């Protein structure tokens, strides 16, 4: 019997690549997004044209839309085996430049959005005594980089939340798995970014210009989202209790390895050498 996955944030990037990959592997895919009506304008590129894929509206901040999408996907495909929390974006800039609304929005999407989706799927997964909850966190949920403090706050929160959650869900055969991508070339570094600036706050400008340029370059040089789609697929098919799956290039793996083995001060020296390259205090 075909398996079914429901994925959030499939209008672009990792979510979109994952819809294609899971469908190619013969899975049913409930591709959810905030504005599915826009897919109609994408012609042959529309996800709706793929076999075994159906589109549903889902905004992770709108509980009713999550409930409806889950109900509709279950009705369309006869069940859901795996849910992928992918929707998210990054606020970038100095913390001091962020408004309370920007901080709230970042946590509403990346943290409370994930919790909203998990809360809505749990009664169903618990009743059927099975299911997998995959969440696209980030290597930024395990290490940090300059000018992404709020984003890291959200991803570290999700890492802690899901790790703890895995204990109580194990008796119900519900697997919790986090996928931690390194830099991946998507709209994350472009249209999805929330750049934090404040008129008159110029003291950070030189630091932000350098670190932002280096981060953007990392995004431009990064592998495409198909790499993460494959990791998600492997995790979805992994019956073990493994919690974390790193995804990305060799630099991603090297960084996470060094974070484990080096004292934090040395590790931060490495991060600075890369991200602050060209900056003079
Ligand atoms: N790219 C990277 O380097 C990288 C690295 C590590 C982790 N990640 C994580 O990977 C995930 C996917 O990002 P991406 O790189 O694929 O970037 P992306 O191309 O910008 O995709 C982000 C997706 O999230 C959706 N989204 C945003 N807010 C939403 C909401 N309230 N409800 C539903 N969907 C919403 C966007 O939909 P709209 O079209 O409606 O805006 C878009 O489809 C994010 O969680 C991100 O933090 C990315």
């Amino acid at each position: 019997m075909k398996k079914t996955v429901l994925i959030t944030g499939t209008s672009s990037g990792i979510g979109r690549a994952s819809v294609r990959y899971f469908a190619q592997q013969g899975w049913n895919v409930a591709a959810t997004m905030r504005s599915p009506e826009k897919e109609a304008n994408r012609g042959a590129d529309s996800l709706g044209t793929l076999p075994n894929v159906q589109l549903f509206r889902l905004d992770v901040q709108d509980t009713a839309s999550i409930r409806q999408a889950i109900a509709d996907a279950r009705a369309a495909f006869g069940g859901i085996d795996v849910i992928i929390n992918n929707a998210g974006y990054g606020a970038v800039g100095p913390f001091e430049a962020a408004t309370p609304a920007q901080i709230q929005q970042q946590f509403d999407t990346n943290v409370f959005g994930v919790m909203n989706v998990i809360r809505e799927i749990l009664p169903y997964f618990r009743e059927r005594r099975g299911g997998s909850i995959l969440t696209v966190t980030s290597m930024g949920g395990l290490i940090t980089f300059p000018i992404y403090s709020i984003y890291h706050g959200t991803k570290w929160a999700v890492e802690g939340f899901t790790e703890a959650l895995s204990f109580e869900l194990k008796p119900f055969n519900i697997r919790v798995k986090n996928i931690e991508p390194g830099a991946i070339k998507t709209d994350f570094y472009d249209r999805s970014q929330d750049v934090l600036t404040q008129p008159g706050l110029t003291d950070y400008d030189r630091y932000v210009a350098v670190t932002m340029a280096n981060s953007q370059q990392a995004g431009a040089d990064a592998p495409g989202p198909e790499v993460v789609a494959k990791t998600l697929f492997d995790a979805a098919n992994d019956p073990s209790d493994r919690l974390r799956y790193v995804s990305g290039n060799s630099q991603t793996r090297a960084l996470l390895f060094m974070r484990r083995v080096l004292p934090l001060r040395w590790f931060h020296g490495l991060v600075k050498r890369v991200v602050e390259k060209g900056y003079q205090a």
Side-chain angles (χ1 to χ4, degrees), residues 17-254:
S18 301
V19 172
R20 291 189 185 284
Y21 193 80
F22 276 78
Q24 276 162 11
Q25 306 306 315
W27 282 49
N28 296 319
V29 185
T32 76
M33 56 187 80
R34 287 194 280 200
S35 312
E37 63 283 357
K38 288 187 188 161
E39 278 295 307
N41 306 328
R42 298 178 84 146
D45 188 42
S46 166
L47 294 178
T49 62
L50 297 172
N52 313 322
V53 175
Q54 289 200 34
L55 307 183
F56 302 98
R57 195 186 89 75
L58 187 157
D59 181 332
V60 298
Q61 293 183 62
D62 173 357
T63 309
S65 79
I66 299 169
R67 194 167 298 163
Q68 191 63 52
I70 289 173
D72 291 347
R74 284 178 61 187
F77 296 121
I80 298 172
D81 301 282
V82 176
I83 199 146
I84 299 182
N85 291 302
N86 163 73
Y89 73 95
V92 54
F95 173 71
E96 200 184 331
T99 63
Q102 285 174 307
I103 298 168
Q104 187 70 49
Q105 177 68 8
Q106 178 75 119
F107 276 80
D108 278 347
T109 307
N110 291 10
V111 181
F112 301 121
V114 168
M115 290 182 176
N116 288 340
V117 172
I118 293 178
R119 209 181 40 236
E120 290 302 324
I121 197 70
L122 274 183
Y124 167 64
F125 275 0
R126 184 171 42 75
E127 208 166 291
R128 75 198 279 270
R129 293 293 192 265
S132 292
I133 297 169
L134 273 51
T135 302
V136 180
T137 63
S138 172
M139 80 170 158
L142 304 171
I143 60 177
T144 64
F145 299 107
I147 65 165
Y148 276 93
S149 61
I150 306 170
Y151 178 70
H152 286 301
T154 66
K155 294 295 184 179
W156 281 57
V158 171
E159 285 287 347
F161 162 63
T162 47
E163 181 177 316
L165 187 68
S166 68
F167 290 110
E168 72 206 41
L169 298 186
K170 173 121 179 39
F172 302 109
N173 194 31
I174 301 172
R175 294 187 198 101
V176 176
K177 294 177 177 296
N178 290 344
I179 284 63
E180 283 119 6
I184 300 293
K185 196 174 182 170
T186 66
D187 290 355
F188 181 88
Y189 295 95
D190 188 0
R191 99 182 148 95
S192 301
Q193 241 173 14
D194 183 12
V195 180
L196 309 168
T197 54
Q198 231 184 75
L201 181 59
T202 55
D203 274 353
Y204 296 97
D205 283 1
R206 274 189 324 110
Y207 186 76
V208 169
V210 170
T211 50
M212 180 93 102
N214 288 334
S215 302
Q216 293 290 118
Q217 193 56 50
D221 296 342
E226 298 74 22
V227 172
V228 188
K230 185 171 181 324
T231 310
L232 281 161
F233 188 74
D234 292 345
N237 285 291
D238 183 352
S240 80
D241 288 342
R242 180 172 163 191
L243 177 68
R244 297 197 162 94
Y245 301 76
V246 174
S247 187
N249 56 21
S250 53
Q251 199 188 13
T252 304
R253 286 169 210 285

